[in-house]
Amino acid sequence: MGYLYLLCVALMFSFGGTCVKLISPFFGPAYITFFRFAVGVLFLLLLKTVKRQPFSQDFFAGARLVLGWILFGAVAKWAAYLTENYALSHGPSYGNIVTQPAQTVFLTLSSVFLFREKLPPRKLFCIFLCMTGVLCISWNGRSLEAFFQENILLTGLFIFSGFCAGCHVLSQKMIADRMDIIDSNLSIFAVSGILAFVPLVPGMAGGDLSGIRPDFGCVAGILVFGFITGIGFYLNARAILLVPFYMVPVIQSTMAIFAILWGVLFFHEKISIYIVGGTMMFITGLIGLQLSRAAGKKQASKPDIC
């Protein structure tokens, strides 16, 4: 079931760019970010209701113990979605495939500097593959002038979004042993939703939403985006408990293939050999990083023979 959960998560997150393209004609990136958190929280509350899982009596006491990590994860996730949604609104619907390798590289480097894990040449080569693949996708065969004037900004935002998403994963790791899966996601997303809402208040008071008539596609995009956020992260957390950890990003990397496919089918976006080649490069780098990590842990677990 763990592998099925991960495949479902990859499929769900691959629709992120599609949802943004449906919503962006009516709402800007800041509103899209707020909608994603708000509807995601509603789906998590619905999930708690369906599972008949009330809040525990010590919920707030437990949350206070990890309040710093909740705030850290909330700010990181808010920044990740805001930058990702801006880049998706102004670029191709599959552009967020860059965030996954950026997140993996960030977590790998974090494990080296924070948890003192080793960084052998094989891992460095895999990181190089990920970075080269990202640059290849961003370049897409254009002239250097076009690359630096157009693509580099959006690519930078996607990479920054991936780093922030990695910070969110780090916060989840620090909270996992102290809070229930649903409760921890609810706490982080609720705070993120508040952070996303506050900057919108002046504009809403000034009439930003007057005259906006979202169509069916926009409403569907908002609901699906929220479902992806709430239920997707819940399934991902469940899957982590059922499969080897190194397999999680390997299967999640299939999101890139789905996302490119939706861009072609729904928005008739052109896919060049640079996009395909870059995607294959960073998927190879992701798999290599995780296999290296798994091999390192296996080697470390072997008893010394005297």
Side-chain angles (χ1 to χ4, degrees), residues 18-216:
T18 302
C19 291
V20 171
K21 290 299 184 184
L22 292 174
I23 305 170
S24 57
F26 302 92
F27 299 100
Y31 281 99
I32 297 174
T33 302
F34 168 69
F35 291 149
R36 184 170 188 181
F37 285 124
V39 180
V41 167
L42 291 178
F43 273 110
L44 284 173
L45 290 173
L46 178 61
L47 179 62
K48 282 184 72 73
T49 303
V50 171
K51 290 172 64 68
R52 298 182 180 179
Q53 179 184 322
F55 288 100
S56 60
Q57 294 182 350
D58 60 347
F59 170 77
F60 291 104
R64 280 197 295 270
L65 293 176
V66 291
L67 182 59
W69 285 111
I70 290 175
L71 292 176
F72 176 75
V75 172
K77 204 59 180 173
W78 169 50
Y81 281 164
L82 185 61
T83 51
E84 179 184 9
N85 291 333
Y86 179 89
L88 284 172
S89 299
H90 295 81
S93 64
Y94 55 81
N96 60 340
I97 63 177
V98 171
T99 60
Q100 185 67 33
Q103 174 181 313
T104 302
V105 170
F106 173 82
L107 290 174
T108 300
L109 296 177
S110 297
S111 68
V112 173
F113 292 107
L114 297 179
F115 304 111
R116 305 301 180 184
E117 293 185 9
K118 295 181 179 180
L119 189 63
R122 182 177 176 181
K123 280 189 176 182
L124 285 173
F125 177 70
C126 292
I127 291 175
F128 172 77
L129 277 180
C130 288
M131 296 175 64
T132 305
V134 168
L135 288 174
C136 189
I137 292 172
S138 177
W139 174 37
N140 199 18
R142 298 188 179 190
S143 65
L144 291 179
E145 181 180 359
F147 171 72
F148 284 106
Q149 290 183 356
E150 301 173 16
N151 286 18
I152 195 168
L153 172 61
L154 298 183
T155 302
L157 289 175
F158 283 128
I159 292 175
F160 179 76
S161 176
F163 286 174
C164 291
C167 291
H168 170 247
V169 173
L170 181 61
S171 71
Q172 284 187 312
K173 176 180 175 63
M174 304 305 294
I175 296 173
D177 296 334
R178 305 183 187 183
M179 291 188 72
D180 173 77
I181 294 173
I182 301 179
D183 291 344
S184 63
N185 279 319
L186 264 175
S187 302
I188 292 176
F189 289 157
V191 176
S192 297
I194 294 173
L195 292 173
F197 178 72
V198 170
L200 301 178
V201 174
M204 294 172 64
D208 277 355
L209 300 181
S210 61
I212 295 180
R213 299 290 185 270
D215 59 12
F216 175 79

